[in-house]
Amino acid sequence: MSTLRAAAIHDLSGFGRCSLTVALPILSAMGVQCCPLPTAFLSTHTGGFEGFTFLDMTDEMEKAAAHWKTLDLRFDAIYSGFLGSARQIGVVERFFRDFRAPGTLTVVDPVMGDHGAVYKTYTPEMCAGMAGLAELADVITPNLTEAALLLGVPFGALPGPEETVEQLSMDGRRSVVLTGVSLTPGKTGAMCFDAKTGRTQAVQTAYISHEFHGTGDVFASVLTGALMQGHSLPAAAEQAAEFVRACAVRTAASDIPPREGVEFEPLLGLLTGGAR
Ligand code: PXL
């Protein structure tokens, strides 16, 4: 049996622990060969840093995808996140069409915003495009802000988490893992709708009273790895929530600035061992 392989379509932010600098080590630790298709190169992510550089990689992505096609590369999963331009969304849609085979898992983390605000580089056109891309996914992993953008309702006017995931499921055809869901004080986690079983289920862990950048990317990367390993959606969400919690506990103790993300590196060992 050969090593599982994923195409990871995210930005490469040199500093700040998000996107590819999170997906690559996490998927590798989980026994997945992670092939990056960078959407943009930034000096840092856009949350909490001023003056970051931004190089749009749309043209390069098309060339790299065309080369991969000549190599007849096959992927067990295609996992996308932060996108760099509106035109790029069409490139990613074509990538899905060209590289999706029976059994390929497509995970779209519809990265657009957080805490009720859209990220600095996202235009309304890009948000609309992201909603279209997310329609092609087997699994989406929005936070509450992104769920509101996908449903076209103001942040704060979202229905309860169960109804939100059901509304996002496209009549039960798409699995949804809604992150940042707190059902009781002191707890946080996700609400899952599993298209395979038609069941809605919550996953909750202890809330660590610190907000760190990039935890959504850590969560979605662990979820993708666990799904690729064959775990059910709720089990994969449970593992992802627990890993984020462990990272948050460790990082809170070291008191680094939240914009630097969670110190997940020393905890990667928690993810090894499940590799097939
Ligand atoms: O963590 C989401 C994310 C990914 N990539 C970039 C970002 C953000 C959020 O701010 O700026 C470049």
Side-chain angles (χ1 to χ4, degrees), residues 165-166 168-175 193-196 198:
V165 292
E166 276 153 27
L168 284 169
S169 74
M170 302 197 313
D171 297 322
R173 282 175 284 127
R174 168 173 81 177
S175 292
F193 173 83
D194 187 349
K196 284 198 177 137

Side-chain angles (χ1 to χ4, degrees), residues 10-13 16-20 40 42 44-48 52 54 81-83 109 111-114 119-122 146 213-218:
H10 306 253
D11 67 283
L12 180 62
S13 285
R17 294 191 182 92
C18 68
S19 310
L20 283 175
L42 296 85
T44 67
H45 61 70
T46 67
F52 53 84
F54 185 101
F82 180 99
L83 300 181
D109 187 3
V111 176
M112 290 184 278
D114 206 356
Y119 293 137
K120 288 172 188 163
T121 55
Y122 272 73
E146 291 152 354
H213 193 91
T215 49
D217 301 356
V218 173

Side-chain angles (χ1 to χ4, degrees), residues 76-98:
D76 300 292
I78 305 171
Y79 164 38
S80 74
F82 180 99
L83 300 181
S85 72
R87 180 163 75 83
Q88 190 170 104
I89 295 167
V91 174
V92 180
E93 283 176 357
R94 265 195 304 285
F95 189 95
F96 281 15
R97 273 202 302 278
D98 287 350

Side-chain angles (χ1 to χ4, degrees), residues 47-132:
F49 293 98
E50 294 301 322
F52 53 84
T53 67
F54 185 101
L55 176 67
D56 175 11
M57 303 281 273
T58 308
D59 292 338
E60 209 58 28
M61 286 171 76
E62 283 186 299
K63 288 189 262 175
H67 183 222
W68 284 1
K69 201 70 205 155
T70 67
L71 299 176
D72 198 23
L73 292 191
R74 310 282 167 105
F75 298 102
D76 300 292
I78 305 171
Y79 164 38
S80 74
F82 180 99
L83 300 181
S85 72
R87 180 163 75 83
Q88 190 170 104
I89 295 167
V91 174
V92 180
E93 283 176 357
R94 265 195 304 285
F95 189 95
F96 281 15
R97 273 202 302 278
D98 287 350
F99 288 93
R100 199 174 203 172
T104 306
L105 169 75
T106 13
V107 179
V108 171
D109 187 3
V111 176
M112 290 184 278
D114 206 356
H115 305 294
V118 176
Y119 293 137
K120 288 172 188 163
T121 55
Y122 272 73
T123 61
E125 187 191 0
M126 287 176 73
C127 292
M130 184 66 97

